[in-house]
Amino acid sequence: MFYLKKTSVKLKILFLCGSAEPGKDGVGDYTRQLCRELIRMGHQALIVSLCDKQADNYLCQSQLIEATSVMVRRIPIATSFNQRLTWTQEIIKEEAPDWISLQFVPYSFHPKGLPYWMPSFLNKLKGDYKLHIMFHEMWTGISVISPLKHKITGYFQRLIAKKIITTILPSSISTSNFLYQLVLDAGGISTEILPLFSNIPIVKLDEEFKKNLFFNLKIKEIDIDNYLFTGVFGSIYPEANLDMVLNELLERATSSNKKLVFISFGKIEKEGEKKLEKLMKDFSQNIQFLNFGILNEKRISTLLQLLNIGISCTPYQHLGKSGVYAAMKLHGLEIMISCREEIPEYTIQLQEKMQEFINRPSEMWSAEYVARNFISLIK
């Protein structure tokens, strides 16, 4: 747990990530929002996307996020090692950052999750800066129950991660959740926790959207207290036991003389659509269903404010890397967990830490709070 520190020292931070097309890369979106908060705090922050999947040419652009402009340099994924190094070195020379923060996800920098070029690349970058690494992901195959393919890939991913650490000797290393901290520590990499934040800010209700919502459900607004509103935001994974959760919620609603409403929104993927269709078929007699699909931030925030209970489809031990979970927590929702997949090597160690994590108050899930913790981390 970090403690916020007040400081008048302003920093220039250059973030390295994979891709930076808005809405197309989760870590890219996270990095841009973190930059926005740092800029609002008076720091300077910019992004270099080293392997941009949506850029055909080298781009230098300003990306606007909530009235804040973030400078982004985008290097296409097809760029050669030498050209990528040259462009990045030129940016470092031009910008002279105090810190470089690598937002690390193996699959962001290599299609098979094996960025073997990364240790050498980082070692060749010159400049008077300190390096921070944020492990959003690390390596696969972390458990005895993991598939053999994941264990093999993970073996090489672990070698690459350790090579980066031993070659570069970063000044600061962090990860987003306790599970990854335990796994990294077992791999000889000591980290501090920098939690994720909600990428959906709390905004004023979209009254027109709210009106249409109740119209589609055939519910009068004066009668909403007679309903229990629950929902899923984003992907519905096959492992999620939504049948169990809906049965619990149905019993809860019935005991309170309320009717249950289930709302899904966001990109739920093809497997999720199949699961949703089955749920609608199995529970149609007792639950009202409504699926919105992809919505803008204002409408997502409106739904999160209207729900009584959110349902997380992310496995219990991985909640710390879920932006959806963070968004629900920021909006003050009670959350039910639909997937309690166990990882035997870490279950006992995680029990106490996970309770601490779940009990974090809503204000600690904001981008502003995490940005201040980020600055405390690298000071």
Side-chain angles (χ1 to χ4, degrees), residues 21 101 128 177 205 224 286 296 359 371:
E21 180 72 17
S101 177
D128 185 20
N177 61 91
L205 288 175
I224 59 173
N286 300 303
N296 61 35
N359 290 337

Side-chain angles (χ1 to χ4, degrees), residues 119-172:
S120 175
F121 176 84
L122 293 172
N123 191 44
K124 290 177 184 294
L125 294 177
K126 306 303 177 185
D128 185 20
Y129 60 84
K130 294 180 180 179
L131 180 67
H132 163 256
I133 299 178
M134 173 67 170
F135 281 98
H136 288 277
E137 293 181 7
M138 26 160 216
W139 51 81
T140 60
I142 63 174
S143 174
V144 292
I145 63 174
S146 299
L148 178 60
K149 181 180 178 180
H150 290 182
K151 292 178 182 177
I152 294 171
T153 301
Y155 172 80
F156 292 104
Q157 289 175 327
R158 184 168 64 252
L159 291 180
I160 293 169
K162 293 191 71 172
K163 182 69 172 177
I164 290 174
I165 303 302
T166 56
T167 301
I168 312 303
L169 300 177
S171 300
S172 178

